[in-house]
Amino acid sequence: MNDIPARDAQSREQRDGDDIAALAKGGRTNFVGFFLRLIARIPFLFIAGRAAVYGPDALGRFASSLVVMELASMLCTMGEKRGLAQRLSDTEGKVHPANVVMDGAWLALLSSTAVAIFLYLVPAPMFPGGDYTEADRLIVLAIPPLTLTEIWLAAAAYRLQVAPTVWARSLVEPWTISIVAGAMIFIAPASGLSIAYTASIFAAAVTAFVPFLRIYGLPRGWRPHPVSMARLAWNSLPIALADGIEWGTRRLDLMLLGFLAPPSAVGVYYAAQQVASLPQKLKTSFEPVLGPVITRKLKERDYAAIARQICQVGFWITAAQAGIALALGIPGAGVMGLVGREFVGGTGALAFLLAAEVVASPAVVSEGALIYLARVRNMNVSIGTVVVQAVLTYGGIRLMQHLGYNPLYQAAAAAIALMLALGLTSLVKARMLSGILGERISNFRWPLVWAAVPAIVIGYLAKRFLPEWAELAFGIPAILGSYLLVIWKKAFGPEDRMLFAKRPVEEGEPGELATALGVGPNQGSQPMPILSREG
């Protein structure tokens, strides 16, 4: 009898190790998608920044419309991007999974269609300057497919199928917008960016729907029930608002700039934001598996394991984001110059936006558990974040205008406000989760500081003594290389190194790239096991 507790403890340790391995594998696989997205995003920024028919003004008008439309789409998902995992887990074995997904998809379709019609009839929120074409107004057609794509990808992620996300978000969507934006230079230059974006969203939606249908199949005996739909909308409201608010904190600055600054400043800020958001995508590398792991541990009430996994993933994200922030921020003028000469003035905004992504990572990973453990409290903190950011952003922009600084300084003030607001949120949410779990929650390790020192020195020397092209070609790899070397030697333990561990690949089994793209043997033929069923 005395062996039973020992066996149970050993079983829990084995499951914890399996979960960390699953998180590492999911992160590695989607990490491939991150670099694919990075490569594919460059042509669009280059075309939008350097083409004579586009430039900062056109990019600024496009960004202003995008922020309103994408925020509306995020709210219309009704929290299903993260809440779907819990609904599928709770109804497991009771309701056909395709029916569960269909409930959320139908509700999202109705709400997104209504919002699209409203924004088409009242386009002023999307175009605060009043400068738009009839084709620009049609960008609202992308709201329903954008909303449904999030739900289809979340459903696939619950089955640990990351290939649809990589294909849709890292290949089809960015390459479609780049290709169509280039073609529109010769066909419809006045509305080229809006048309390109709409085309990319529809292409990504098709790319997401096909594997979703293969994994889940068609609903069985499903019918819409108004009462059930209303209950689902009400229960999903806290997650929906948290999703919209979390996303809105990354776009509120752009929205306020659209109302307070000229389009050229908005365009420069948008370009800086696109570069700075690249490390933010690292967070999504772990989302497909972090949610199912957390929901399973919640069923077991294993709060210590949740804390370990949150800290583990949080450190991975923080370490990667800090390295990328140093590599892109130190030679920031050269990076922004790649988009166009008019964008170099956004270097200050880029530096603060990169810093904001680093300080935001504790809040991001903590929220992965808080949306299940304390939905309303998490939502209230998120609302407070938006209020603080709005006050700081508006006040910073107005202060720069009062002091007579040009619009690019106003853009930098918006970036500083974002950094301060996200830093405060990280402290509050990490402390809140720590109190609920009864465990310490922290992403920070001192070797992060040690690794930054040689990276900064190398970056300074490259900036001081190398021409710009060499600073970018050789300085960025040298900064990253020195940083990663110290992190690997001083910060990474055995569990951290799982992120890069290559277990033996059995015959016929796909590698990481094949897994990411879903092109290996038997990829997609059978759903991957759901983590919450194991153990």
Side-chain angles (χ1 to χ4, degrees):
M1 295 292 291
N2 292 334
D3 291 340
I4 293 177
R7 284 200 300 269
D8 289 344
Q10 186 177 7
S11 177
R12 283 195 299 271
E13 290 178 3
Q14 178 64 38
R15 289 199 301 268
D16 287 349
D18 291 343
D19 289 341
I20 294 294
L23 290 170
K25 185 178 187 300
R28 282 197 308 272
T29 303
N30 257 348
F31 202 69
V32 174
F34 162 74
F35 281 105
L36 292 173
R37 189 183 184 100
L38 170 61
I39 295 169
R41 181 62 65 180
I42 292 173
F44 173 72
L45 291 176
F46 188 84
I47 292 169
R50 289 184 174 267
V53 296
Y54 297 142
D57 286 343
L59 193 58
R61 289 191 295 270
F62 168 71
S64 294
S65 65
L66 206 61
V67 64
V68 175
M69 197 194 72
E70 290 190 346
L71 177 59
S73 174
M74 179 64 70
L75 293 174
C76 289
T77 61
M78 297 296 174
E80 290 293 88
K81 183 177 180 180
R82 292 188 288 183
L84 182 60
Q86 187 172 32
R87 291 207 302 121
L88 286 169
S89 178
D90 291 343
T91 58
E92 187 179 324
K94 304 173 186 176
V95 183
H96 190 274
N99 291 17
V100 177
V101 179
M102 189 63 183
D103 287 339
W106 181 252
L107 186 62
L109 178 62
L110 292 178
S111 59
S112 61
T113 301
V115 169
I117 293 172
F118 172 79
L119 288 176
Y120 178 79
L121 297 176
V122 186
M126 295 192 298
F127 306 101
D131 187 7
Y132 59 90
T133 66
E134 189 61 30
D136 288 332
R137 290 177 69 182
L138 292 177
I139 196 174
V140 299
L141 293 174
I143 295 179
L146 177 61
T147 305
L148 292 173
T149 298
E150 295 290 354
I151 295 175
W152 293 331
L153 292 178
Y158 182 71
R159 296 290 180 91
L160 302 185
Q161 295 281 5
V162 297
T165 300
V166 174
W167 272 103
R169 295 296 188 220
S170 301
L171 288 172
V172 174
E173 182 184 320
W175 279 111
T176 300
I177 194 173
S178 297
I179 293 170
V180 177
M184 287 300 108
I185 292 175
F186 309 100
I187 301 174
S191 305
L193 298 180
S194 297
I195 295 172
Y197 177 79
T198 305
S200 71
I201 294 303
F202 274 93
V206 173
T207 306
F209 178 69
V210 171
F212 161 77
L213 192 61
R214 186 174 64 245
I215 295 168
Y216 283 86
L218 295 171
R220 298 177 185 174
W222 179 87
R223 282 192 176 91
H225 299 285
V227 175
S228 298
M229 292 292 178
R231 188 183 303 115
L232 173 60
W234 177 255
N235 292 337
S236 301
L237 185 62
I239 297 181
L241 290 176
D243 280 345
I245 291 167
E246 193 272 337
W247 186 91
T249 56
R250 310 306 179 93
R251 295 293 186 271
L252 179 63
D253 44 3
L254 199 61
M255 182 184 296
L256 289 176
L257 274 174
F259 284 99
L260 300 174
S264 59
V266 180
V268 171
Y269 190 83
Y270 176 75
Q273 198 176 62
Q274 289 297 295
V275 175
S277 68
L278 292 171
Q280 181 196 357
K281 303 299 187 296
L282 291 170
K283 170 185 72 76
T284 62
S285 297
F286 298 93
E287 279 184 348
V289 285
L290 185 58
V293 167
I294 290 176
T295 54
R296 193 191 84 183
K297 292 301 181 184
L298 284 174
K299 278 187 173 182
E300 300 173 358
R301 296 190 176 277
D302 192 349
Y303 293 160
I306 293 175
R308 287 194 299 271
Q309 289 152 4
I310 290 291
C311 292
Q312 187 73 67
V313 172
F315 171 69
W316 286 342
I317 294 173
T318 300
Q321 286 182 328
I324 293 174
L326 290 170
L328 295 179
I330 295 174
V335 172
M336 293 298 293
L338 290 175
V339 183
R341 284 181 308 219
E342 303 94 334
F343 293 83
V344 175
T347 303
L350 173 64
F352 289 113
L353 287 172
L354 288 168
E357 295 299 338
V358 177
V359 300
S361 57
V364 167
V365 292
S366 296
E367 191 168 81
L370 287 172
I371 59 171
Y372 304 116
L373 291 165
R375 292 186 180 187
V376 176
R377 289 169 61 190
N378 178 67
M379 181 184 68
N380 291 337
V381 173
S382 297
I383 292 173
T385 300
V386 171
V387 172
V388 170
Q389 185 192 357
V391 171
L392 291 176
T393 302
Y394 183 84
I397 293 173
R398 286 303 192 192
L399 178 62
M400 292 297 104
Q401 292 174 342
H402 177 73
L403 296 176
Y405 287 101
N406 66 46
L408 295 179
Y409 281 90
Q410 299 167 29
I416 294 172
L418 175 64
M419 180 186 68
L420 294 175
L422 292 179
L424 178 62
T425 306
S426 290
L427 293 174
V428 173
K429 290 194 174 183
R431 187 177 181 85
M432 183 192 304
L433 182 60
S434 178
I436 294 172
L437 298 179
E439 302 283 342
R440 182 173 178 269
I441 302 295
S442 176
N443 299 352
F444 179 76
R445 299 182 193 177
W446 277 107
L448 289 172
V449 178
W450 307 337
V453 173
I456 292 172
V457 171
I458 291 174
Y460 170 79
L461 294 176
K463 192 175 184 67
R464 178 73 173 80
F465 297 105
L466 294 179
E468 188 173 277
W469 67 268
E471 179 190 358
L472 297 177
F474 303 113
I476 291 178
I479 293 170
L480 271 178
S482 64
Y483 175 86
L484 292 175
L485 179 63
V486 177
I487 288 291
W488 181 264
K489 294 288 188 182
K490 299 295 184 182
F492 271 27
E495 288 187 336
D496 298 306
R497 298 186 184 191
M498 282 187 184
L499 191 61
F500 301 95
K502 290 290 290 182
R503 59 180 177 80
V505 179
E506 299 177 4
E507 184 177 355
E509 184 182 4
E512 299 296 346
L513 180 58
T515 300
L517 299 180
V519 297
N522 301 321
Q523 285 292 304
S525 60
Q526 296 291 334
M528 294 179 69
I530 303 175
L531 280 178
S532 58
R533 290 178 179 170
E534 298 175 1

